[in-house]
Amino acid sequence: MTEFFDSNPALQAAFQGGIAPFVVAVVVALALARTRFAWLAILAAYATQVALSTGFSFTPLSASRKILLLSLAAPVVGIAAYALESRGRTIAYALAALAGLAAVWVFLGILQQREGAAAWSIGIGIVAFAAALVAIVLSLRADAARASAAGVGLGLATGIIALMSASVGFMTAGISVAAGAGALLLVNAFRRAPPSPGFLGTLSIGLMIALFAEGTLMLAKLPWYALAALLLVPLAVRLPVRDDMAPVARAAILFAYAMLAALVPIAAVWIAPGS
Amino acid sequence: MPVLKRLSLAVLLAVPVAAHAAADTYAVDPMHSSVNFTVDHLGLTNIYGRFNKFTGTFSVDKAAKTGSLDASVDTVSVDTNENDKGSRARSRDEHLRSADFFNAAEFPKMTFKSSKVVFSGDNPTAVEGNLTLLGVTHPLTLNLERFKCNPAAGNAKERCGGVAVGKLKRSDFGMKRGVPNIGDEITLMLAFEGDKQ
């Protein structure tokens, strides 16, 4: 097995980022299917990818390691936020604002190396993007199919544009989120009343994807407007779809919305100058 | 001030100056120097690369058998002769600059700071020091495959140069992407020349 992957780097990346995380996420989603903790499948998929590729390491605390730390913390914060569910909208805004501040913390070392005006404009941009993406994804917290479709679309789009922007690390990270969300979409597609993603599922998807995309912007070659295009994915899954449809059909339509929207950031990177 | 105290002060001030004056210092001449590396690829061959921007100084005092070698490398200047991506998504050099490898945006410098120069007879044979890469510092010994000085002649200053080679594991510095398809062991080579300052 090891020798097989040693001579097939592309298959190794596919296994680390997609296949293994998907299998683990399906197991977690099935094991916890009757509880809201089924959405830990997103974390399980991402953690599997990390364990199989670079491993867990936090020193020195580089931007990539801060992203890892926050990605592991997001589900914990999401679970804690359930205690304040009665003030859901306020909590959602607060979490979005915190996501923006977290993005500054992650990339502070790089921003400090930039000139004044450039540092400010990039800093404001990453705050705005992280807060906006997290806010939009959090708004899907009552609908399992919409949230998981958004996770698949965002994860695939982020993974593909990361690969096109010279980052295999953020590619496999993005694909692992798609694998986790895909596992939930699949498992929940056959259930009439799947557990809602709540803050646990949506904060995990929103914060991870925001930081992976921003990491690709700051540490690789992603053009800034690809971030704006990524916002279309969670917006697309808010398009109308009948609630009384069969769960499988509804999931398929939302999946199609997400996939079509995911083509926009991919196309934006594809046609970017220098691509 | 008593004579003895004056004498002591004079000696204290003079000793460091004398020691400093004995070591000859040289600035690395980038035109005749290079920082190169090799890494195994798929167990099939070696990939060769270099860094196009670097600075450095070295010093040697053959009488006292001391010396130093300090270098600073711009990681963004990594060049494996593969910077034209053609129809692909990205070139290898772009990928090497990303967070998967050298993370040049966050860690723009790789530095080597010597702690000791080892001599065999009158000749320096190795430089012991610390390599800092990706914010991680580890000891590294560079073996001097050669070191020679040409005396000053006419308008030309005394000029020294050498080739220093060392091996490191990139995973020790947190650069784990692609191991083992892309080898963990890196051979680092510093070929340097410089005029006496």
Side-chain angles (χ1 to χ4, degrees), chain A residues 27-28 35 38 47 49 52 80 83 96 101 104 110 120 150 169 215 226 239 243 260:
Chain A
V27 171
V28 171
T35 74
Q49 179 271 139
L52 291 174
L101 294 176
V104 172
I110 301 162
W120 277 102
L239 289 170
D243 289 338
L260 286 172

Side-chain angles (χ1 to χ4, degrees), chain B:
Chain B
M1 189 180 286
V3 174
L4 193 60
K5 269 193 175 176
R6 282 187 193 173
L7 194 60
S8 301
L9 187 62
V11 168
L12 280 173
L13 288 171
V15 164
V17 172
H20 181 75
D24 296 328
T25 303
Y26 305 80
V28 168
D29 165 17
M31 186 186 289
H32 299 97
S33 303
S34 59
V35 180
N36 306 301
F37 63 90
T38 66
V39 61
D40 176 88
H41 186 248
L42 297 175
L44 300 175
T45 189
N46 288 335
I47 302 291
Y48 290 78
R50 68 184 189 194
F51 296 94
N52 294 324
K53 289 186 181 173
F54 53 89
T55 58
T57 58
F58 60 98
S59 68
V60 63
D61 181 347
K62 290 189 175 180
K65 294 191 174 14
T66 61
S68 67
L69 173 60
D70 296 342
S72 176
V73 174
D74 288 4
T75 53
V76 76
S77 70
V78 65
D79 180 350
T80 59
N81 195 29
E82 218 286 324
N83 203 28
D84 179 7
K85 62 184 173 143
S87 60
R88 293 166 304 146
R90 78 290 183 279
S91 71
R92 182 169 65 209
D93 290 348
E94 286 173 332
H95 192 197
L96 288 172
R97 291 180 197 114
S98 79
D100 287 340
F101 292 96
F102 287 100
N103 199 358
E106 190 169 10
F107 298 103
K109 300 285 186 188
M110 173 175 73
T111 61
F112 176 79
K113 193 164 180 56
S114 66
S115 55
K116 181 185 175 187
V117 173
V118 179
F119 278 74
S120 174
D122 285 341
N123 298 314
T125 56
V127 184
E128 296 173 0
N130 288 303
L131 182 76
T132 300
L133 171 62
L134 297 171
V136 179
T137 301
H138 276 293
L140 175 68
T141 298
L142 297 171
N143 293 309
L144 281 167
E145 291 188 342
R146 56 200 277 195
F147 185 84
K148 185 185 171 192
C149 294
N150 290 336
N155 290 332
K157 296 177 178 177
E158 181 185 309
R159 190 169 181 83
C160 294
V163 177
V165 180
K167 290 183 188 297
L168 59 109
K169 281 192 183 296
R170 62 187 179 98
S171 60
D172 289 344
F173 298 84
M175 191 193 290
K176 298 175 181 172
R177 182 67 56 188
V179 173
N181 298 318
I182 304 163
D184 192 11
E185 185 176 89
I186 306 287
T187 302
L188 188 65
M189 293 161 283
L190 278 72
F192 57 96
E193 260 185 49
D195 284 335
K196 186 174 174 181
Q197 299 297 291

Side-chain angles (χ1 to χ4, degrees), chain A residues 39 144-154 181 185 233 237 251 254-256 258-259:
Chain A
W39 288 83
R146 289 185 198 272
S148 48
V152 176
L154 283 168
L185 189 68
V233 177
V237 301
L254 290 168
F255 177 74
M259 288 299 100

